[in-house]
Amino acid sequence: MSSPIRLGTRRSALAQAQSGHVAAALEKVVGRPVVLVPITSEGDTNRASLSEIGGQGIFATRLREALLAGECDFLVHSLKDLPTAVPEGLVIAATPVREDARDVAITRGGTPLHELRAGSTVGTGSPRRIAQVRRRAPHSTVVDLRGNVDSRLARVASGELDAVILAAAGLSRLGTDSPLHREELGLSEWPTAPGQGALAVETTTDAPAELREALAVLDDAPTRLAITLERAILEGLDAGCQAPMAAHAVVEGDEIRVRTVVYAADGGRRIGLDVTEPLNEGYIQRNGSGNDADAADGADPIQAVRSLGLAVARRLLEQGAAELVPREQS
C-alpha cells in the first residue's frame, strides 16, 4: 500500500508545476508518495503554429497512450488543451478548484493593449487571442508565438516584441516574478478558452477503486459544472480546442452564467451570447430540443449543464457561427 502512485505529465515547467500541485494534494489524501512521470507530447516537439495543429489533441494524445499502456496511473492536463471527446477507457476523475481564468497582456512599460502605438508587435499563437488582439489593438501586428513562458517574457524584455498574451493561471502556478508589467484582461470583454485556468485529472475506467475515490476528493463541484458547460458549447460547435471562440462560465449561488463569443479570424466579426440559468431542470423544458439523450431527465446537474451548453451552441450556429469556426478534425 506504500508504493508510489505514478502521475503522467508533460515535460514543460508549467505542466510539471501544475502536476506537482495535484501530486501534493493527493499525497495528503492517500498518505502515499506520488511521483511524476515526464512524457514528451507531440505539442512539445512540433513547432508548427497552433492554428495549424492545435485542434488535434497534440498535447494529450501521447500522455493518454502512456496511461492506457500502464506507464502511469493517472494524468494531469491543462483542460483547455483537451479535445471534448474522452477516449474509450478513460475518465476525467477530478477537476480541482480553478485558478484565475483570465488572460494577461505583458508589456515593458505598462501601456494598455488598446493604447499600443501603431505597428506594435503582440505575440500569441492562439487563434482566439489573435482575433481578440485584432479587435482590441487593430493597429498592432500579431506575431505567431510558441515556446515556454520564460522565453515569451524574454522576447518582451529584450524589445523583440512589445507585448505577449499569456494565461494568468500559468503565471500563478509557475510563481513567475517579472519586472514586466501585466494588464489583466477582464472576462466580460475578453472571455477565454473553454476550460482555461482549470486542470483535468484523468485515469482509466478500470483504475483501482481506491485511486478513483482518492482522486474524487480533489474534485471541485462548481469548477466541474462550469467547465462542463463551456466544453459542451465547444462540442456543439464541432470546433477544435484552438478554434477562435471563447466560453467562460461561473456558478453564482443557485444559477450558472456563461459568456461565449465566436470570432472571425481577422477579428472583424463576432457572435456572442450571455446566458444565465438556474441550476435545476427547468431550463430543459425551455431550451432543450427534446432530442438529446442527456436531457432526458434533469436530475443530474452535470448532464443538465451539458444540455444547456449544446443548446447555447445551437443558438450560436443559428446566428451564423458556422461561418466563423473551423470544424474539428479527428
Side-chain angles (χ1 to χ4, degrees):
M1 295 297 292
S2 60
S3 59
I5 300 172
R6 301 165 300 165
L7 190 171
T9 176
R10 290 173 55 203
R11 293 179 178 273
S12 73
L14 175 55
Q16 296 205 41
Q18 62 196 22
S19 293
H21 290 307
V22 174
L26 184 60
E27 286 177 340
K28 292 181 180 179
V29 174
V30 299
R32 292 167 56 189
V34 178
V35 297
L36 301 188
V37 179
I39 299 166
T40 301
S41 73
E42 181 188 351
D44 297 314
T45 57
N46 189 330
R47 309 315 299 168
S49 170
L50 286 177
S51 63
E52 299 173 4
I53 60 173
Q56 302 175 31
I58 62 163
F59 295 112
T61 300
R62 173 66 189 101
L63 275 70
R64 286 171 157 175
E65 290 171 350
L67 178 59
L68 290 168
E71 298 173 28
C72 54
D73 300 306
F74 73 104
L75 304 171
V76 171
H77 307 277
S78 291
L79 190 57
K80 68 182 178 64
D81 294 331
L82 281 188
T84 54
V86 178
E88 184 177 353
L90 300 181
V91 62
I92 295 178
T95 54
V97 174
R98 187 182 216 162
E99 278 273 6
D100 190 340
R102 294 176 296 178
D103 278 343
V104 295
I106 305 293
T107 59
R108 286 185 303 283
T111 302
L113 194 60
H114 69 280
E115 294 182 7
L116 289 176
R117 68 186 187 281
S120 294
T121 51
V122 181
T124 178
S126 157
R128 185 261 308 170
R129 288 172 176 158
I130 290 170
Q132 289 174 315
V133 168
R134 287 172 173 163
R135 292 188 65 85
R136 180 72 67 92
H139 302 297
S140 65
T141 299
V142 179
V143 177
D144 187 73
L145 190 64
R146 296 288 307 275
N148 60 34
V149 170
D150 285 343
S151 69
R152 298 183 191 208
L153 294 176
R155 293 178 71 174
V156 176
S158 70
E160 181 182 352
L161 295 173
D162 294 300
V164 293
I165 311 298
L166 298 173
L171 295 172
S172 175
R173 290 184 177 122
L174 282 170
T176 300
D177 184 17
S178 169
L180 298 171
H181 295 265
R182 54 186 287 170
E183 174 193 1
E184 280 81 14
L185 302 170
L187 289 165
S188 60
E189 287 300 316
W190 189 288
T192 50
Q196 181 157 317
L199 301 177
V201 179
E202 189 172 49
T203 190
T204 57
T205 53
D206 62 356
E210 179 185 17
L211 177 60
R212 291 281 300 272
E213 291 167 4
L215 293 176
V217 174
L218 307 182
D219 195 61
D220 178 66
T223 297
R224 171 81 72 156
L225 288 167
I227 62 93
T228 297
L229 174 50
E230 294 164 13
R231 285 167 58 80
I233 296 171
L234 183 63
E235 176 188 352
L237 291 173
D238 191 26
C241 56
Q242 289 294 331
M245 64 83 63
H248 179 71
V250 62
V251 174
E252 299 174 334
D254 60 357
E255 295 181 326
I256 190 165
R257 177 179 180 179
V258 64
R259 167 70 168 154
T260 183
V261 183
V262 178
Y263 298 92
D266 63 2
R269 182 184 174 202
R270 66 177 178 178
I271 298 170
L273 290 172
D274 198 329
V275 177
T276 301
E277 292 288 350
L279 281 171
N280 58 40
E281 72 276 17
Y283 77 84
I284 294 176
Q285 285 81 40
R286 298 194 300 277
N287 292 334
S289 66
N291 296 322
D292 294 325
D294 292 328
D297 71 65
D300 183 347
I302 292 294
Q303 297 296 355
V305 295
R306 180 174 181 272
S307 181
L308 173 59
L310 295 174
V312 170
R314 285 193 292 271
R315 291 174 58 186
L316 290 168
L317 291 170
E318 288 167 359
Q319 294 181 28
E323 302 170 13
L324 305 183
V325 295
R327 320 317 290 162
E328 175 67 293
Q329 300 178 28
S330 60

